[in-house]
Structures are given as structure tokens and as C-alpha cells.
Amino acid sequence: MSPKSHKHMHYNVALVDKLWNLKRLCETHLKMHIPLNMVLKDEEYRTELLEKALLANNDELTQLVWDVRHMEDAIVTATHTGDEFKPRKKTRYSIKLNFIAAAACSLLLILSGYLLRSFLPLDAGEVFVLQAITDTRVTSAVNPVAAPKYVPGSPVVRAGKPLFRVHGSNTVGEKLTPRLVESYLMARGATDIKTEQGRTETEKAVTAQLNGRIEFIEIHAHGSSTAFTDLLQGSAELGMSSRRIKEQERELLLAKSGDLTEAGSEHIIGLDGLAIITNTKNPLTKLSIPQLVKIFSGEITNWSALGGRDLPINLYARDENSGTWDSFKSMVLEPASASLALTAKRIESSTVLSDSVAKDEGGIGFIGLPYVRRAKLMAISATKSSKAILPTHFTVSTEDYPLARRLYFYLPQKNINNDAEDFVRFSATERGQSIVEDIGLVSQNIKTGQPFNNNFYPEEMRSLTARSQRLSINFRFKDGSDELDTKGISDLDRLVKYVEINSPKRVQLFGFSDSEGDKAENLALSLRRAQVVEQQLIARGIYPLVARGLGEVAPLASSKSEGGRRMNRRVEVWIL
């Protein structure tokens, strides 16, 4: 890349960085969710957002708007040759859109791993041969001069030992981890960041020039269980999992890695939520997880058995390689030792699956939240008698929705790898969490929302929260105690930052328990849990307005199962 081209590349990425800050500040001041993709790619949406930002009468936002506009104008002025104003008569805005799209492409290609190369392992996986194969479509978005093709027999570039190796879940490792790694390396000042395809589709390496060296980070996504076997064998420095570590795995790793359930080791990096969809003419509005098991295993084959019309049930499922299928299998079928019916239509595309269900009056399928489209969204309950809840980013964030699950990084605390630790820390930042959201998962960045049903709560709480908004976090606790779990510890700092930005709003805390044991003891335990969060916030300079314990009322699930008890043991956070 020529010095001039490099300058433009840097300048474009700088504009995208401004747009990312615009998104973040607007979400804070305008109280609305803003998709980064729309800000980058849709000029009309971006222009409207800039106008709204100016109307907020916030000095920081106003300055950012003018910075963005000046950078847009400067890019147009610095890069057009004059030809674009001749016969075609492009407008200033269409030219600006082209260059912002190129800027977005420059950054998103880096962040998405679109620049693909091949690598082969040497020296037991510690040295990689990097083939200099460049896709000219990608090159043109960054530099109009195409890079030379790789010539067989030319010298290889040896990357040496990886900065760290992260192994485990395909749900986490297929898209999320590569994107996080690319953004992390960019934050460290790396250049020429590329995602290299490995020997299989589930093996990748992200390479970059960093401090004068070509470095790489290895990503193997062969399944959650491999996170713990590879940590035990010393073939990975960081594990990724779409489920919590099992007790047997924790015990096996104690001597080598320390207790991986402790706060320094167990890191929640995002949440995953599944939407169950049917045709809009289906009269049913809710289903329980036991009913889903019977439907998708083929035990129930007609909607009339569920109170619907006399219609055969047609099953639609994602293909075997899909992370969405992995989520459904893990959350619905495997806990009941059930298998997907052979009659299910397996579909590779999320969009095609959703549209197929929308056209089939007997259809039912599962999909990621962004792909509901024209289908009907079903409310889901943990059991037939539990509260049925519609899936939204908010109900997944609070983990009220029964088909929500946490996604994890596990970092050993013995012989810790400093680069892996820095990466995990970056993943938890607001910027790292925005990447979680941009690929379709649910981030931990705090948002406000309304409860799924106000009548769900007791009168005392409804009175206290009449003018309040609920925040998208629930504090949960270790089994049978008032000690916060690892997500709760991280969420304390997020909550403090949120309250500081939104001052003078005040926090309200409401504790709940499961229904096992004595009712009076459960009421006392729910109060202690609310007070634990209160004291942690006070220690950080935040003084809650209310901290109440409400006991076993307003259960989200049946307390007969461990999963249900865990859902019910919580402290909800409201803001007034």
C-alpha cells in the first residue's frame, strides 16, 4: 500500500471511529438503540441521526456531529478527481455515501475477517505458513491497486508462536471470537489484520503486523467441551464455551488452572437467545419448553394436540453447521435427552427458514432474534405453568426469557497468558460488547426497557416503580447463597458507569428468591441479596433509592428444577 493510500485508509477508519462514538453517545442521550450497521451503510438513517443528535443540545454530541460532517466533506474534497461531476452529475451526498461506505468496508473487512488466506501448521502448530493470496474485491475497497497474486514457491512468512490460543465453542468461535480478536489487535495498533482459514472450517488464525512482527492468534472452534480438554492438555491458553463449566471439568482443572468458576477466570462475554416462530395464522401465542421438546422430537405431530387447528406440524430447523442449531439442541433437546425428528426440513439460511415458516400455516422453526421477519413470534415458558415471555434483546439481556443462555471465556489463573488476559478485558468493554451485538448476539451493554407484564409484580413493587424504567441486567447469585456470581460482579461496574452517565437518576433494587424451603427465610434471603448489591454500589459511590426483598413472588420459572431456581434467585434493577 502506498503512503498516500495508507493515509486515506487511516483517515477512513478514523471517520468510522467517530461514527461509532456517535452511536454510543446517541444511545446514552437519546435513549434509543442504534444499529452500527445502519449508521455506516444507510446515508438517510445517518443524516437523520446527525439531526437528532444536534437537537439533543449536548455540547459533546454537537461537536461530534460537526467533526463527522467535516471529515465527510474532507474525504470528498481530498479524493474526487473532478470526473464525477461531469456527465453523471453525482450529488455531493452520493459521493459522500460512497466514501463512507468504503470507510465502513475498510473497517468491517478488518473486523469481520473477510480477507481470507490459508495457513498450514508447522512445528506442532506453533509456526504457520501464510500464503499471500489477496481477494481483489477486498483490495479495491482499501487500495485501488490490486495486490500481487501469491506465486507458488515464494518464501513463506513465519509467524512464530501464537500470542495465545483460544479453543472451544463453535457458537462463540465461528464469528464472535474472530471479530473480537481483529478489533482487539486494531486497538493495540496492529495493521494488515487478516483472518486466515485453517485446515477445517472450525479452525482459524487472525494474523497482524504488530510492533514490527507478524503475530497471530489461533482459534479452534470444535465444541465447548474441547475448551476444557485443551486447557487441561496445555494446547490452549483461553477457553470459549456456550455453557457453564461442569463440576467434573472444574475439578480436573483445579491443579493446573485454578478454580475456573471464580471471577478472575469465568467471564461472560455475551448472551444468546432463540426465537421460536410460527405462521401468523397460528392461533397459539405461547409454548412451553416441554412442549417444544415433544414438537421437535416428533412426539406431537398435529397442532390440535396443543389446542390449535387440525393441521400437521411441519418442522423447520437450521443445518448441522449452524450455531443457532447448536443453541437449540443444547437448550431444548439435550436436557430432555431428545433428538430432532427426521422429518424436519434442514435449512442453511436463517432468512430462508424464517420466510418458509411465514408461508407455511403448519410451520414452526427456531431462529436468531434478528431473523424473525414476517413470521409470528411465540412467547416461551420454562414449564407449562411458568410465565410465558416473548424474546427480545431486553428479555434475553435480563435472562428472563427461558431460551437465553450465557456465552463464556475461561481464563486460567495459573501461568496466566498476559495477551489472553488483555483480550478478555477488551471483550468486556463497551466497544467489545458492541461487536457482540453487531453479529446478532445480545450484548451486556445496559439499556432501559419496560417489563413484559406489570401485573406480574406485587402491588408494593408496582407502586414503587410506577414512574421507573427497568434496566437490562439482573444480578444473580451462587447457588444457595447471597454471593454474586461472576456476571453479577462484572455488571456492578457496568451499572456504576451507567448511573454516572445518567445522573441524577436513582437506582431501585428488588430481590427475589426461589420457593424452596421456608417462606419467611426466602423473604429474608431475597432482602439480603438486594442489600448485597446495595452495599457493593455504595462502596463504588452509588447510593440506591430502594433496596427491597420480595421473597418468592413473581417467579420466572418453576422452582422444582435447578435451572428454574437459578432463574428465580435474582435482584432486578430499576431506575427512577
Side-chain angles (χ1 to χ4, degrees):
M1 182 180 289
S2 69
K4 183 177 180 181
S5 297
H6 179 74
K7 179 181 178 181
H8 286 161
M9 168 76 170
H10 175 76
Y11 195 65
N12 286 343
V13 171
L15 172 57
V16 176
D17 192 66
K18 289 283 187 184
L19 291 172
W20 184 87
N21 283 321
L22 176 73
K23 159 193 158 68
R24 180 179 58 82
L25 284 174
C26 283
E27 286 184 329
T28 297
H29 294 288
L30 302 180
K31 309 302 182 191
M32 57 186 290
H33 172 60
I34 299 168
L36 181 61
N37 291 349
M38 295 286 287
V39 179
L40 294 174
K41 298 176 182 178
D42 189 324
E43 182 184 11
E44 185 177 341
Y45 180 88
R46 184 173 56 257
T47 301
E48 182 180 340
L49 182 63
L50 291 171
E51 292 172 356
K52 287 181 179 178
L54 285 176
L55 293 174
N57 293 321
N58 175 272
D59 290 343
E60 187 178 8
L61 257 181
T62 299
Q63 183 60 52
L64 189 55
V65 169
W66 291 116
D67 287 348
V68 167
R69 287 181 171 173
H70 289 155
M71 292 179 78
E72 291 173 343
D73 291 341
I75 288 175
V76 173
T77 302
T79 53
H80 80 73
T81 62
D83 293 338
E84 64 270 21
F85 296 108
K86 291 179 181 177
R88 289 169 296 184
K89 294 185 179 179
K90 287 189 178 180
T91 66
R92 169 181 176 271
Y93 290 103
S94 65
I95 297 165
K96 180 172 69 176
L97 178 59
N98 287 342
F99 281 97
I100 292 175
C105 187
S106 298
L107 184 62
L108 290 175
L109 291 178
I110 291 170
L111 292 180
S112 67
Y114 189 81
L115 285 171
L116 296 178
R117 299 183 180 185
S118 300
F119 68 92
L120 296 171
L122 294 177
D123 302 335
E126 293 187 350
V127 178
F128 285 83
V129 178
L130 306 181
Q131 298 176 350
I133 302 173
T134 302
D135 187 326
T136 56
R137 293 170 301 168
V138 175
T139 304
S140 63
V142 179
N143 182 357
V145 180
K149 296 289 185 181
Y150 172 73
V151 179
S154 61
V156 299
V157 180
R158 293 185 177 272
K161 186 177 180 180
L163 292 176
F164 60 90
R165 298 163 295 180
V166 52
H167 293 183
S169 166
N170 182 260
T171 300
V172 181
E174 181 186 14
K175 294 179 182 178
L176 177 57
T177 300
R179 283 278 302 273
L180 286 171
V181 167
E182 290 158 351
S183 191
Y184 162 70
L185 289 170
M186 180 180 287
R188 287 186 59 175
T191 59
D192 196 24
I193 303 169
K194 305 174 183 69
T195 295
E196 319 285 349
Q197 185 63 55
R199 292 171 297 184
T200 70
E201 291 183 359
T202 55
E203 295 184 2
K204 296 180 177 71
V206 182
T207 68
Q209 292 188 32
L210 181 64
N211 300 325
R213 288 171 48 84
I214 295 179
E215 303 283 6
F216 74 94
I217 294 169
E218 176 185 288
I219 304 168
H220 286 185
H222 296 297
S224 294
S225 61
T226 63
F228 309 110
T229 56
D230 290 0
L231 287 175
L232 185 63
Q233 294 169 4
S235 57
E237 287 72 44
L238 180 64
M240 48 189 176
S241 180
S242 55
R243 60 165 173 81
R244 195 163 192 244
I245 186 173
K246 297 175 181 177
E247 179 59 24
Q248 182 182 10
E249 293 165 334
R250 185 191 75 86
E251 291 178 358
L252 286 171
L253 280 158
L254 268 175
K256 182 178 180 64
S257 302
D259 189 344
L260 291 186
T261 63
E262 292 299 319
S265 292
E266 186 177 68
H267 302 269
I268 289 82
I269 53 165
L271 298 112
D272 186 15
L274 282 180
I276 305 300
I277 55 173
T278 63
N279 182 272
T280 54
K281 293 181 180 179
N282 192 320
L284 299 180
T285 59
K286 60 184 180 180
L287 291 167
S288 67
I289 290 179
Q291 287 174 325
L292 289 178
V293 171
K294 291 180 179 180
I295 291 169
F296 280 92
S297 66
E299 184 177 341
I300 293 178
T301 59
N302 194 292
W303 285 109
S304 61
L306 299 164
R309 290 185 293 168
D310 183 12
L311 267 178
I313 295 175
N314 298 324
L315 303 177
Y316 293 82
R318 286 296 310 278
D319 61 295
E320 286 285 346
N321 296 322
S322 163
T324 305
W325 158 244
D326 182 61
S327 298
F328 182 82
K329 182 173 61 174
S330 299
M331 286 191 276
V332 177
L333 296 177
E334 288 183 346
S337 300
S339 300
L340 182 67
L342 296 177
T343 55
K345 298 177 183 177
R346 307 304 293 271
I347 297 177
E348 183 177 3
S349 165
S350 295
T351 300
V352 171
L353 188 151
S354 183
D355 290 347
S356 297
V357 172
K359 295 174 184 175
D360 184 347
E361 291 189 23
I364 183 171
F366 53 87
I367 208 70
L369 286 177
Y371 297 99
V372 174
R373 293 167 62 84
R374 292 177 289 276
K376 178 179 179 178
L377 195 59
M378 301 292 283
I380 303 298
S381 60
T383 65
K384 195 171 182 179
S385 59
S386 301
K387 185 71 182 176
I389 299 172
L390 280 169
T392 64
H393 275 69
F394 189 83
T395 58
V396 172
S397 292
T398 59
E399 299 178 277
D400 292 347
Y401 180 59
L403 293 182
R405 65 171 174 174
R406 298 177 177 186
L407 304 174
Y408 298 85
F409 279 148
Y410 282 96
L411 180 70
Q413 290 302 293
K414 294 184 179 180
N415 302 313
I416 194 167
N417 179 289
N418 292 329
D419 291 305
E421 185 177 35
D422 288 343
F423 167 67
V424 171
R425 191 178 297 116
F426 168 82
S427 300
T429 65
E430 186 178 355
R431 189 149 200 170
Q433 288 298 296
S434 292
I435 293 170
V436 173
E437 191 168 304
D438 287 339
I439 70 162
L441 296 170
V442 177
S443 77
Q444 299 172 94
N445 290 336
I446 296 177
K447 303 175 182 66
T448 57
Q450 295 299 325
F452 51 84
N453 185 346
N454 257 333
N455 294 329
F456 177 64
Y457 297 103
E459 175 58 34
E460 175 190 6
M461 182 174 168
R462 292 203 301 271
S463 175
L464 288 169
T465 59
R467 294 181 294 110
S468 304
Q469 287 183 301
R470 189 176 169 192
L471 296 188
S472 60
I473 55 172
N474 276 347
F475 287 98
R476 285 190 162 84
F477 300 81
K478 293 184 177 181
D479 293 348
S481 78
D482 55 11
E483 185 179 350
L484 284 168
D485 66 9
T486 52
K487 185 178 188 301
I489 293 169
S490 300
D491 281 343
L492 283 170
D493 292 331
R494 290 190 182 96
L495 180 56
V496 168
K497 183 178 179 181
Y498 181 88
V499 174
E500 287 174 345
I501 291 172
N502 290 277
S503 177
K505 289 186 177 293
R506 300 286 298 280
V507 167
Q508 297 169 293
L509 303 172
F510 298 95
F512 299 88
S513 70
D514 60 47
S515 59
E516 293 292 290
D518 182 74
K519 190 171 183 177
E521 289 180 1
N522 288 336
L523 181 64
L525 181 57
S526 69
L527 175 60
R528 285 204 305 275
R529 286 171 176 154
Q531 290 172 337
V532 164
V533 178
E534 179 185 40
Q535 291 304 315
Q536 291 285 350
L537 291 174
I538 289 173
R540 291 164 170 81
I542 302 296
Y543 292 83
L545 184 65
V546 170
R548 297 286 176 88
L550 298 172
E552 57 194 57
V553 299
L556 294 169
S558 169
S559 290
K560 293 180 180 179
S561 70
E562 180 51 45
R565 290 192 291 274
R566 190 176 296 113
M567 286 183 69
N568 293 333
R569 296 189 294 250
R570 68 196 189 275
V571 171
E572 294 186 6
V573 185
W574 295 63
I575 195 163
L576 177 62

